[in-house]
Every structure is written in C-alpha cells, then in structure tokens.
C-alpha cells in the first residue's frame, strides 16, 4: 500500500530522505549532514545512497538517504530510481514500513506520479514459478508531503501505470507455451472489459479472408493458431485516431532459418511490443484520455515443422506487395506489414506507431537502454520525444533516407524480408513502413530495452515492460493538442 500523509509523527520502519547536492550548503547546521559530508559517505549526487541505524528513545531507527543530483536537473527517472532503491533496502532489512519525508520541492504532480511508478515497479519480480521466493516484508509505504491530498490523482496515475507496466512484464516473461496467441487475445478482452475498450478477435479463417498472407506464412509452422486482435477505444468522437501496432510473436525459433540456442533463449519475449500495446490500451481507456485509439496485434508463433514457410518462398502480402523470404527469422516485419496495412485500410487511422522487438541490430547500434526509431514525420516524432522525456523510456531517431530502400529490393519480388547486415534496424523499419504512404508513422524497435540482464533500480531481470508508459504518454500528449 502507498499512502499520502501531510505529516507523520511517529514513523516506523525506515525513514527515507530524497536529497540534492545543494542540501549540504543549506543544511550545514544539521550535525548529521556535516558529519556525513566530512566522512565522505554521502554526497547527494545522483544515485548516491547511504543508510544507517541507531537507537533513539529506546527504539531502533533506520534512515535512508537518497541522492538526486543537482536540484535544477531533477528528472522523473532519477526519482523512480531513488525510491526503488529505498524499497529494495527495506526488504533487505526486513522492514515493513517505509516513510519518505518530502519537502515542497516535490509538490508537483509529475514528481509524485514518477514516485508512484518507481515504487510500484520496484516491487515486481518474475517469481511465480519459484517455490522459494525472495522474501518481501515491505507492505506499507508513506509519502509525507505538505498538501498531501491534492496529489492523490497523480499518485494513483503513477501506481496504475506501474501496475499496467507490470502486467506487460508478466506477459512478456511467461513462457511461450503459456502466452500463446489465443492467450494474448483473452488478455485483450479482459483488459478491455475492465478499462473500457472493445476487442475483436479474428481466427485463422478470418485472417485468410483478410488476405494477410505474410502474417499467415509466419504462423504456418505452429500448432498454435494465429489470431488477429483488434482493440478500439473512443475517447473523443470527432477527434483523430491514433493507431498502435505491436509485434506479437509468442515464441521466435527463427523458423527453418533456425536460431542458435543462445539467441533463442529469450524469445518468449518476442511479443514485448504486443504486451506494451495491450497494456497501454488498458491505461489509456482506464484514464479516459480524450483521444481515439485503435490497436492491432497479429499474434502468432514462429515455429519449425513440415508446414513451416521456407526461405525463398514468395508471399503476396495484404497490400499486394510481393515479398521474397530471404530468412524465416525476419518474421516480425512480415506480420507487421500486414497488420499496418490492415489498420490503415480497414480502420483508417490518422497516425501509426508500431512497436516491435524487431532486430538484433538495434541492440548492436544503441545497446539495451535506448530504442532506435524510424519515422516519416518529424512533427509527430517530437510528441514521442516529449513523452519519452516524461516516462524515462529513451528513444533515438535513425535516418530513413530513401536510398536505404535499395537494400530491401529483390530481383524476384517487390521486397525482400532481409536486407543483409548493413543498417539492419533501418531496413527492417522501412520494410514495415513500405505500406504507410503519407500517414504520419513512427517505428520503435525495442529489441534492446525490452529486456534487462539483471536487477537494477526499478527493473528486475527479464522483461522491462518498455513501451506501456511511453505509448500511454504519447496518447496523452496528443490529446492535449
Ligand atoms: N525477434 C528477433 C529480434 C531480436 C533479437 C529481439 C534479439 C530481441 C533480442 C527478430 O525476429 C529476428 O530474428 N531478427 C533477425 C533479422 C535478420 C534475420 C534479418 C536478426 O535481428 O538477426
Ligand atoms: Mn526472428
Ligand atoms: Zn522475432
């Protein structure tokens, strides 16, 4: 439980203070600060951290100091990281309560929301299959801040977004025999019912009728049937519609162009884009944002069998563009090109964002913290950048010059699904974007940031839920005009 209170007289458990570098100068009179400064154990610098226990009035007290850096440079992300550290410390010390004493610097909705996100996200670990779970004692967190009740909505928003992101993490971490295409469809229905958006699910026969042959080719090797999931939320009847498309490969073996074992080891997470789209829809609808959003997921399993599609097959995608299959492991773009064509021609959206764990090249280019993007509309991209600053989910724009299209030309078909080693993230993005025409479009490749190698800050090893909050915030920025 996370509570807001104006003051706390008798704090139990850990008392946490969020501090800036400048606090040294101002709090010189405090003996504790001077002492810590002299001992050089706590600096107030970003990520600096100090905890100590002592006896006062016959009671054991523990304080936790969390550095945020320079006051003027405060970011939401620094707050998320700092409060997450305090929760980890509380569990480590087997404390049940944690109280943050927040001064007026933090009296802004955006800071409180970020604190709510960080506190919520820090409590998650994918441990449901573990018999011996790591013990979590912390069950009551208090934010002591002046005018506490006025921050209730901001705190609730942060907690809710944290919970939706956790939902995305859980979906992404679950094995590929649990989170199947149909499982994703049921999750969409469940979220839709709770939050207030409609869900329509198309089965294989219906997908055939829709001529989504590139999507169907990817699905052909699996005993799990593909589904097309369509979600619609109306928050502004006369307004424009944002279209979201998420890659939903529930397990990526690579198909007949089989992945080596070590590359396959996290491929249950190849539906991370779908997870972020599903949960962003939940958040957008639940928060009743005044915007229309339509979301599409072409969910399937890229498996190996006698029915699998083959290298050198030539597919006719829904758009009519023919595709030479150079590599069955470049499957995401095949599902996405049909999903994007569908959302554009059937749903007539005004903007498109696709989000996908699409290329290993994305990780090579930017590492695991930043998602590369490709776009055809700088004004639209500016909104994403703004959203990204708020949520801490970082993106970086790659060039999308026309000459890269040369790389995905084929002598046998209109497009090839693999442009080779050069500019792999750009060519994958441009492949998906080949059907968007003039519609403002952003492609986000989350192969890197969708997965964390180890526990750090508010992340735990495994899926990060990258994209849930980013897409929500983008919709929020767009609905603010
Ligand atoms: N799902 C993978 C991309 C991926 C790699 C996601 C690592 C997360 C972590 C995608 O389907 C894939 O296999 N891409 C190939 C494309 C190539 C065959 C053109 C890749 O990146 O190697
Ligand atoms: Mn693949
Ligand atoms: Zn894949």
């Amino acid at each position: 439980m996370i509570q807001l209170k104006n003051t706390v007289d008798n704090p139990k458990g850990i008392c946490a203070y969020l501090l800036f570098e400048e606090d040294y100068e101002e709090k010189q009179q405090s003996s504790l600060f001077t002492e810590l400064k002299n001992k050089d154990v706590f600096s107030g610098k970003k990520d600096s951290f100090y905890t100590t226990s002592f006896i006062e009035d016959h009671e054991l007290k523990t304080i936790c100091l969390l550095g945020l850096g320079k006051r003027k440079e405060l970011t939401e992300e620094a707050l998320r990281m700092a409060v997450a550290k305090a929760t980890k410390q509380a569990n480590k010390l087997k404390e049940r309560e944690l109280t943050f004493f927040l001064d007026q610097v933090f009296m802004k909705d955006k800071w409180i929301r970020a604190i709510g996100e960080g506190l919520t996200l820090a409590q998650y670990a994918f441990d449901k299959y573990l018999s011996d779970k790591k013990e979590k004692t912390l069950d009551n967190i208090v934010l002591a801040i002046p005018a506490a009740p006025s921050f209730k909505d901001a705190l609730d928003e942060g907690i809710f977004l944290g919970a939706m992101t956790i939902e995305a993490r859980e979906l992404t971490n679950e094995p590929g025999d649990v989170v199947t295409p149909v499982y994703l469809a049921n999750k969409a229905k469940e979220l839709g019912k709770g939050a207030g958006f409609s869900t329509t699910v198309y089965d294989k026969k219906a997908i055939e009728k829709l001529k989504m042959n590139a999507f169907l080719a990817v699905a052909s090797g699996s005993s799990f049937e593909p589904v097309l999931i369509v979600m619609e939320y109306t928050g502004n009847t006369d307004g424009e519609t944002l279209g979201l498309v998420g890659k939903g490969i529930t397990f990526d073996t690579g198909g007949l162009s089989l992945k080596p074992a070590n590359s396959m080891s996290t491929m249950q997470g190849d539906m991370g884009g779908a997870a972020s789209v599903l949960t962003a829809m939940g958040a957008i609808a639940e928060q009743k944002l005044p915007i229309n959003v339509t979301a599409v997921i072409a969910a399937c399993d890229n498996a190996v069998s006698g029915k699998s599609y083959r290298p050198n097959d030539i597919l006719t995608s829904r758009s009519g563009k023919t595709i030479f299959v150079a590599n069955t492991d470049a499957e995401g773009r095949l599902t996405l090109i049909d999903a994007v064509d569908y959302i554009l021609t059937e749903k007539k959206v005004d903007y498109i964002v696709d989000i996908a764990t699409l290329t290993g090249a994305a990780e090579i280019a930017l590492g695991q913290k930043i998602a590369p993007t490709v776009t055809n509309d700088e004004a639209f991209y500016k909104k994403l950048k703004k959203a990204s600053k708020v949520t801490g989910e970082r993106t970086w724009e790659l060039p999308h010059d026309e000459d890269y299209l040369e790389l995905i030309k084929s002598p046998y078909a209109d497009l090839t699904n693999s442009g080779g080693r050069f500019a792999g993230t750009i060519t994958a993005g441009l492949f998906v974007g080949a059907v968007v025409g003039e519609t403002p479009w952003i492609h986000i490749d989350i192969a890197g940031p969708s997965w964390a190698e180890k526990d750090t800050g508010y992340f735990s090893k495994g899926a990060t839920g990258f994209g849930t909050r980013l897409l929500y915030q983008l919709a929020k920025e767009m609905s603010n005009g």
Side-chain angles (χ1 to χ4, degrees):
M1 186 171 56
I2 307 174
Q3 287 173 284
L4 281 161
K5 285 186 182 167
N6 285 324
T7 51
V8 175
D9 295 332
N10 250 321
K12 295 198 189 69
I14 298 186
C15 296
Y17 300 87
L18 297 168
L19 300 164
F20 299 97
E21 286 176 45
E22 295 92 330
D23 286 333
Y24 280 111
E25 287 117 56
E26 291 153 29
K27 292 187 181 162
Q28 278 300 1
Q29 66 275 29
S30 144
S31 57
L32 176 67
F33 267 77
T34 323
E35 214 164 297
L36 291 173
K37 189 191 178 188
N38 291 343
K39 283 193 182 153
D40 205 18
V41 289
F42 180 75
S43 62
K45 290 210 168 73
K46 203 152 106 188
D47 296 327
S48 69
F49 172 76
Y50 182 74
T51 179
T52 190
S53 300
F54 50 90
I55 305 274
E56 195 183 271
D57 299 334
H58 307 288
E59 267 184 69
L60 181 70
K61 302 252 156 123
T62 301
I63 61 163
C64 181
L65 309 182
L66 301 147
L68 294 170
K70 296 216 165 66
R71 184 171 296 168
K72 279 234 171 70
E73 293 164 13
L74 179 62
T75 59
E76 287 91 339
E77 187 66 359
L79 279 171
R80 279 181 213 106
M81 287 295 186
V83 298
K85 244 183 221 163
T87 66
K88 300 245 155 106
Q89 189 64 17
N91 282 319
K92 206 164 142 194
L93 298 177
K94 299 196 177 6
E95 293 283 5
R96 287 192 50 235
E97 286 199 32
L98 169 62
T99 305
F100 289 90
F101 291 91
L102 304 172
D103 62 30
Q104 67 270 21
V105 180
F106 302 101
M107 292 175 67
K108 275 195 177 149
D109 283 348
K110 62 175 184 177
W111 303 140
I112 301 300
R113 169 178 151 185
I115 289 172
E117 288 175 15
L119 289 172
T120 307
L121 286 167
Q123 316 208 30
Y124 173 78
F126 180 53
D127 60 5
K128 65 184 279 199
Y129 295 104
L130 262 181
S131 309
D132 270 324
K133 297 191 210 312
K134 216 176 174 183
E135 200 188 354
K136 282 182 216 147
T137 51
L138 180 63
D139 67 1
N140 193 28
I141 300 171
V142 179
L143 305 181
I145 187 165
S150 62
F151 299 107
K152 187 180 179 303
D153 286 351
L155 179 64
D156 285 349
E157 187 184 13
I159 293 171
F160 181 72
L161 288 170
M164 277 294 143
T165 306
I166 286 173
E167 181 95 62
R169 288 182 181 179
E170 187 78 357
L171 278 171
T172 310
N173 280 323
E174 285 272 20
D177 68 331
V178 175
V179 175
T180 60
V182 168
Y183 187 102
L184 283 178
N186 290 336
K187 183 57 80 176
K189 285 183 197 161
E190 179 195 314
L191 282 169
K193 249 189 211 145
F197 63 81
S198 74
T199 306
T200 315
V201 179
Y202 298 90
D203 65 5
K204 191 172 163 208
K205 272 217 178 98
I207 299 166
E208 280 165 2
K209 271 202 196 124
L210 290 167
K211 299 203 178 88
M212 301 174 81
N213 300 316
F215 170 30
L216 286 167
V218 177
S220 60
S222 179
S223 52
F224 297 122
E225 294 269 295
V227 291
L228 179 74
I229 308 168
V230 181
M231 292 158 276
E232 288 168 282
Y233 165 70
T234 311
N236 179 8
T237 334
D238 342 291
E240 291 180 317
T241 301
L242 167 65
L244 302 177
V245 177
K247 173 174 171 180
I249 300 296
T250 56
F251 194 85
D252 183 12
T253 63
L256 292 177
S257 313
L258 191 67
K259 284 183 185 293
N262 61 343
S263 309
M264 213 188 286
S265 67
T266 57
M267 283 301 126
Q268 74 275 26
D270 213 17
M271 33 54 69
S276 63
V277 165
L278 283 175
T279 52
M281 282 301 280
I284 290 164
E286 181 78 35
Q287 297 289 320
K288 299 198 165 52
L289 297 187
I291 185 174
N292 305 321
V293 188
T294 298
V296 169
I297 293 163
C300 70
D301 177 33
N302 188 21
V304 180
S305 81
K307 289 184 178 165
S308 295
Y309 76 131
R310 288 151 295 267
N312 305 347
D313 283 355
I314 295 173
L315 315 171
T316 302
S317 69
R318 177 179 155 82
S319 67
K321 282 192 198 297
T322 56
I323 301 165
F324 177 76
V325 179
N327 190 322
T328 62
D329 196 12
E331 84 296 339
R333 66 199 74 183
L334 297 174
T335 63
L336 290 168
I337 199 171
D338 275 353
V340 167
D341 186 70
Y342 172 87
I343 204 170
L344 205 63
T345 58
E346 285 290 314
K347 297 295 164 187
K348 312 250 183 308
V349 295
D350 302 295
Y351 299 86
I352 298 180
V353 177
D354 78 80
I355 182 162
T357 47
L358 206 59
T359 64
E363 268 181 300
I364 303 299
L366 300 186
Q368 296 189 304
K369 291 203 173 136
I370 302 181
T373 56
V374 177
T375 182
N376 65 357
D377 191 298
E378 293 303 323
F380 186 30
Y381 188 65
K382 260 197 190 143
K383 298 213 161 121
L384 187 80
K385 268 299 199 199
K386 229 172 142 188
S388 167
K389 207 169 156 264
V390 172
T391 69
E393 295 157 290
R394 292 147 77 192
T395 67
W396 194 261
E397 188 187 351
L398 296 179
H400 60 282
D401 301 49
E402 298 245 320
D403 41 358
Y404 286 106
L405 286 169
E406 287 299 318
L407 296 172
I408 47 172
K409 278 192 176 149
S410 161
Y412 315 112
D414 301 336
L415 293 166
T416 171
N417 80 331
S418 171
R421 283 188 343 111
F422 293 148
T425 302
I426 300 174
T427 54
L430 290 180
F431 183 98
V432 177
V435 295
V436 300
E438 299 290 299
T439 308
W441 158 75
I442 303 169
H443 164 71
I444 311 174
D445 192 331
I446 58 169
S450 72
W451 204 261
E453 297 300 322
K454 54 178 176 28
D455 296 358
T456 43
Y458 61 90
F459 299 101
S460 69
K461 185 175 163 60
T464 60
F466 187 104
T468 304
R469 292 175 302 117
L470 182 62
L471 295 175
Y472 166 82
Q473 192 64 29
L474 172 67
K476 194 166 172 173
E477 299 291 340
M478 290 174 77
S479 52
N480 291 340

mmCIF file of all heavy atoms in Angstrom, residues 247 249 252 259 267 270 302 329 331-332 357-358, ligand 3:
data_model
loop_
_atom_site.group_PDB
_atom_site.id
_atom_site.type_symbol
_atom_site.label_atom_id
_atom_site.label_comp_id
_atom_site.label_asym_id
_atom_site.label_seq_id
_atom_site.Cartn_x
_atom_site.Cartn_y
_atom_site.Cartn_z
ATOM 1 N N LYS A 247 4.250 -5.958 -32.241
ATOM 2 C CA LYS A 247 4.714 -7.280 -32.691
ATOM 3 C C LYS A 247 4.356 -8.315 -31.637
ATOM 4 O O LYS A 247 4.727 -8.186 -30.478
ATOM 5 C CB LYS A 247 6.223 -7.262 -32.935
ATOM 6 C CG LYS A 247 6.808 -8.657 -33.253
ATOM 7 C CD LYS A 247 8.282 -8.611 -33.640
ATOM 8 C CE LYS A 247 8.888 -10.020 -33.723
ATOM 9 N NZ LYS A 247 10.317 -10.009 -34.108
ATOM 10 N N ILE A 249 4.943 -11.990 -31.609
ATOM 11 C CA ILE A 249 5.456 -13.345 -31.857
ATOM 12 C C ILE A 249 5.618 -14.007 -30.484
ATOM 13 O O ILE A 249 6.442 -13.568 -29.679
ATOM 14 C CB ILE A 249 6.800 -13.309 -32.624
ATOM 15 C CG1 ILE A 249 6.632 -12.616 -33.990
ATOM 16 C CG2 ILE A 249 7.356 -14.727 -32.785
ATOM 17 C CD1 ILE A 249 5.713 -13.325 -34.969
ATOM 18 N N ASP A 252 9.891 -17.042 -30.871
ATOM 19 C CA ASP A 252 10.597 -16.933 -32.144
ATOM 20 C C ASP A 252 11.769 -17.922 -32.191
ATOM 21 O O ASP A 252 12.839 -17.652 -31.661
ATOM 22 C CB ASP A 252 11.104 -15.494 -32.331
ATOM 23 C CG ASP A 252 11.787 -15.296 -33.679
ATOM 24 O OD1 ASP A 252 11.676 -16.193 -34.543
ATOM 25 O OD2 ASP A 252 12.421 -14.230 -33.859
ATOM 26 N N LYS A 259 17.337 -20.296 -35.201
ATOM 27 C CA LYS A 259 18.281 -19.546 -34.368
ATOM 28 C C LYS A 259 19.199 -20.510 -33.626
ATOM 29 O O LYS A 259 18.750 -21.581 -33.211
ATOM 30 C CB LYS A 259 17.523 -18.735 -33.300
ATOM 31 C CG LYS A 259 16.848 -17.488 -33.798
ATOM 32 C CD LYS A 259 16.208 -16.748 -32.620
ATOM 33 C CE LYS A 259 15.409 -15.551 -33.090
ATOM 34 N NZ LYS A 259 16.224 -14.485 -33.672
ATOM 35 N N MET A 267 13.440 -15.742 -26.420
ATOM 36 C CA MET A 267 12.479 -15.439 -27.491
ATOM 37 C C MET A 267 11.013 -15.618 -27.128
ATOM 38 O O MET A 267 10.133 -15.358 -27.935
ATOM 39 C CB MET A 267 12.856 -16.204 -28.762
ATOM 40 C CG MET A 267 14.031 -15.566 -29.491
ATOM 41 S SD MET A 267 13.695 -13.845 -29.959
ATOM 42 C CE MET A 267 15.074 -12.997 -29.249
ATOM 43 N N ASP A 270 9.377 -12.200 -27.504
ATOM 44 C CA ASP A 270 9.234 -11.557 -28.812
ATOM 45 C C ASP A 270 7.835 -10.976 -29.036
ATOM 46 O O ASP A 270 7.512 -10.541 -30.136
ATOM 47 C CB ASP A 270 9.607 -12.562 -29.919
ATOM 48 C CG ASP A 270 10.248 -11.892 -31.119
ATOM 49 O OD1 ASP A 270 10.694 -10.731 -30.995
ATOM 50 O OD2 ASP A 270 10.294 -12.525 -32.198
ATOM 51 N N ASN A 302 6.390 -18.403 -34.236
ATOM 52 C CA ASN A 302 7.288 -18.704 -35.372
ATOM 53 C C ASN A 302 7.996 -20.026 -35.099
ATOM 54 O O ASN A 302 9.062 -20.060 -34.484
ATOM 55 C CB ASN A 302 8.298 -17.568 -35.555
ATOM 56 C CG ASN A 302 9.132 -17.717 -36.829
ATOM 57 O OD1 ASN A 302 8.737 -18.420 -37.768
ATOM 58 N ND2 ASN A 302 10.280 -17.051 -36.874
ATOM 59 N N ASP A 329 13.685 -16.031 -40.170
ATOM 60 C CA ASP A 329 13.871 -15.393 -38.860
ATOM 61 C C ASP A 329 13.569 -13.891 -38.919
ATOM 62 O O ASP A 329 13.504 -13.232 -37.893
ATOM 63 C CB ASP A 329 15.302 -15.655 -38.376
ATOM 64 C CG ASP A 329 15.479 -15.390 -36.887
ATOM 65 O OD1 ASP A 329 14.450 -15.231 -36.189
ATOM 66 O OD2 ASP A 329 16.636 -15.340 -36.436
ATOM 67 N N GLU A 331 10.804 -12.578 -39.322
ATOM 68 C CA GLU A 331 9.357 -12.850 -39.362
ATOM 69 C C GLU A 331 8.522 -11.672 -38.863
ATOM 70 O O GLU A 331 7.398 -11.470 -39.310
ATOM 71 C CB GLU A 331 9.049 -14.098 -38.525
ATOM 72 C CG GLU A 331 8.872 -13.881 -37.011
ATOM 73 C CD GLU A 331 10.125 -13.379 -36.299
ATOM 74 O OE1 GLU A 331 11.224 -13.566 -36.855
ATOM 75 O OE2 GLU A 331 10.007 -12.786 -35.209
ATOM 76 N N GLY A 332 9.103 -10.893 -37.941
ATOM 77 C CA GLY A 332 8.321 -9.816 -37.319
ATOM 78 C C GLY A 332 7.804 -8.842 -38.360
ATOM 79 O O GLY A 332 6.620 -8.484 -38.361
ATOM 80 N N THR A 357 10.021 -5.940 -31.007
ATOM 81 C CA THR A 357 11.361 -6.484 -30.750
ATOM 82 C C THR A 357 11.865 -7.013 -32.098
ATOM 83 O O THR A 357 11.831 -8.200 -32.364
ATOM 84 C CB THR A 357 11.266 -7.642 -29.735
ATOM 85 O OG1 THR A 357 10.193 -8.516 -30.142
ATOM 86 C CG2 THR A 357 10.992 -7.146 -28.332
ATOM 87 N N LEU A 358 12.316 -6.071 -32.937
ATOM 88 C CA LEU A 358 12.451 -6.453 -34.351
ATOM 89 C C LEU A 358 13.831 -6.915 -34.789
ATOM 90 O O LEU A 358 13.931 -7.837 -35.583
ATOM 91 C CB LEU A 358 11.978 -5.291 -35.239
ATOM 92 C CG LEU A 358 11.483 -5.720 -36.623
ATOM 93 C CD1 LEU A 358 10.311 -6.685 -36.500
ATOM 94 C CD2 LEU A 358 11.084 -4.534 -37.466
HETATM 95 ZN ZN1 LIG B 3 11.305 -12.106 -33.865
#
